[in-house]
Amino acid sequence: KVWSGDDAFAAIRPEITVNLYHYIADSEISDRANLEQYAIEENKVGTVILGGNKWEHTFTGVTPTYEENGEIKQYFFFIKEETAVNGYSVNYSKGEFNTLIVTNTLEPISVEAEKIWSNPEEIEASFPDSVKLKLQVQDGTQWIDVPNKFVVVDSSTGWKGTIDGLIAGHNYRLTEDSVPGWSWTSRVQTVNAT
């Protein structure tokens, strides 16, 4: 199992169920679309849940051959994720030593970040030269800092900026270092793929 383009989100990668299937054919099928017809329960010969820091698995006890009219023939094998991973494309490939690889590649999205100064009493106040807005993502009930996902805004940018390379379908919020004389709140935003 390989993840691509989402290193900043390694802490919240979901568990993935991967099924191993076998099929009978005159030769190995390289066109993935043609393999889908074999991804049925009666051809399933193994299932594994991958997650945490465990993204590799060896299927054991799998019968590699079958008999047909007294002749021993080889099964062909492929893997498939049980459900699609939101915000990622999927690709299947074959590596060395009969290694079957599923790769999920982030289909990144962006969010707009804005610093709003609220001073309804119009009290005389000073503003910093700039503010660093840092991104957090929700993981269950916790908010986790997303490494290297931030934007620095100032008056020249209209106190706005863009943070790229995010996963769709998650709740995000911004945090900032304290600004003397000001308190802050952050609005939670759910970002979905469009």
Side-chain angles (χ1 to χ4, degrees), residues 7-59:
D7 290 346
F9 296 94
I12 63 164
R13 288 172 178 157
E15 287 187 340
I16 303 295
T17 300
V18 177
N19 294 319
L20 176 68
Y21 298 93
H22 69 202
Y23 65 97
I24 297 171
D26 292 333
S27 60
E28 188 167 19
I29 298 172
S30 58
D31 182 359
R32 187 72 197 186
N34 291 331
L35 278 176
E36 291 301 314
Q37 63 182 314
Y38 297 106
I40 57 177
E41 194 64 31
E42 65 189 57
N43 291 338
K44 189 189 301 182
V45 293
T47 298
V48 63
I49 298 174
L50 302 174
N53 293 321
K54 184 179 181 294
W55 299 109
E56 295 180 4
H57 177 75
T58 300
F59 289 101

Side-chain angles (χ1 to χ4, degrees), residues 83-168:
T83 56
V85 182
N86 189 29
Y88 293 82
S89 62
V90 65
N91 182 62
Y92 299 93
S93 59
K94 198 170 187 178
E96 297 179 345
F97 310 113
N98 294 320
T99 301
L100 301 173
I101 303 166
V102 55
T103 301
N104 286 112
T105 301
L106 178 65
E107 295 182 327
I109 61 166
S110 302
V111 295
E112 299 301 314
E114 181 178 6
K115 172 67 179 173
I116 298 173
W117 300 99
S118 177
N119 186 5
E121 305 291 326
E122 297 185 7
I123 300 169
E124 187 176 331
S126 61
F127 298 89
D129 293 335
S130 63
V131 175
K132 183 178 183 179
L133 303 175
K134 298 174 283 189
L135 194 72
Q136 290 187 325
V137 63
Q138 190 172 20
D139 183 24
T141 59
Q142 295 183 326
W143 288 96
I144 299 173
D145 292 330
V146 182
N148 302 314
K149 296 296 180 186
F150 64 88
V151 64
V152 177
V153 297
D154 58 31
S155 59
S156 71
T157 66
W159 300 100
K160 296 179 182 179
T162 302
I163 301 176
D164 300 314
L166 308 181
I167 304 173

Side-chain angles (χ1 to χ4, degrees), residues 166-182:
L166 308 181
I167 304 173
H170 287 273
N171 289 331
Y172 294 99
R173 74 177 183 186
L174 296 170
T175 65
E176 65 181 20
D177 295 330
S178 62
V179 177
W182 297 87

